[in-house]
Amino acid sequence: MYATKFPTLPEEKTLLTHGRLRSLNLSTNGLRAFDPPDFGRIESLDLSYNELSDWPRHLLDAQDLRVLNVSGNEFMDLPPDLLDGSHETLVAGMDLSDNEDLSLPSSERTGGPSRRW
């Protein structure tokens, strides 16, 4: 097994935008940034155990995204629109565990369905 470390992903703009890629695993790559302008038709994205602290701006526009693993990063908060009720499928398939400084709204910490955060 090879371990590759990319502080930023080269050509991230074209990686997802052509609509063919359905699953992408970029875990444990030392990424400090990942913010493509378009997520194409991606259904599963694993960005776990990188060094991400900024939520990708266009991630909530990814209509087909069902599974998102962002565990083990450096997120401190979530985008306000994530929990507005219009992203329930994504929220149900999301892993936010091991983001030690992440603060969640009090309603998400108590009650509701069991989630990995």
Side-chain angles (χ1 to χ4, degrees):
M1 176 156 78
Y2 296 98
T4 305
K5 298 286 184 187
F6 295 110
T8 58
L9 190 62
E11 297 300 319
E12 69 184 22
K13 293 181 282 223
T14 60
L15 186 63
L16 298 169
T17 57
H18 296 294
R20 294 184 188 156
L21 191 62
R22 297 289 187 257
S23 181
L24 180 61
N25 184 337
L26 293 171
S27 63
T28 62
N29 273 291
L31 292 174
R32 290 188 293 269
F34 184 76
D35 196 20
D38 181 4
F39 281 85
R41 309 255 346 244
I42 194 82
E43 297 172 5
S44 176
L45 180 59
D46 188 344
L47 296 170
S48 62
Y49 296 94
N50 281 290
E51 299 171 23
L52 300 173
S53 59
D54 293 324
W55 193 266
R57 289 175 297 199
H58 302 287
L59 187 67
L60 296 183
D61 298 331
Q63 298 295 319
D64 297 307
L65 188 59
R66 303 287 181 261
V67 176
L68 175 64
N69 187 347
V70 290
S71 62
N73 278 286
E74 299 173 6
F75 294 111
M76 296 180 74
D77 53 20
L78 300 174
D81 294 345
L82 178 64
L83 302 176
D84 69 2
S86 62
H87 304 286
E88 286 302 311
T89 303
L90 176 59
V91 169
M94 189 174 347
D95 186 346
L96 289 166
S97 62
D98 294 331
N99 281 280
E100 296 178 11
D101 295 324
L102 182 63
S103 62
L104 298 173
S106 59
S107 62
E108 287 299 317
R109 282 183 256 145
T110 59
S114 175
R115 296 193 179 111
R116 293 173 302 236
W117 54 37

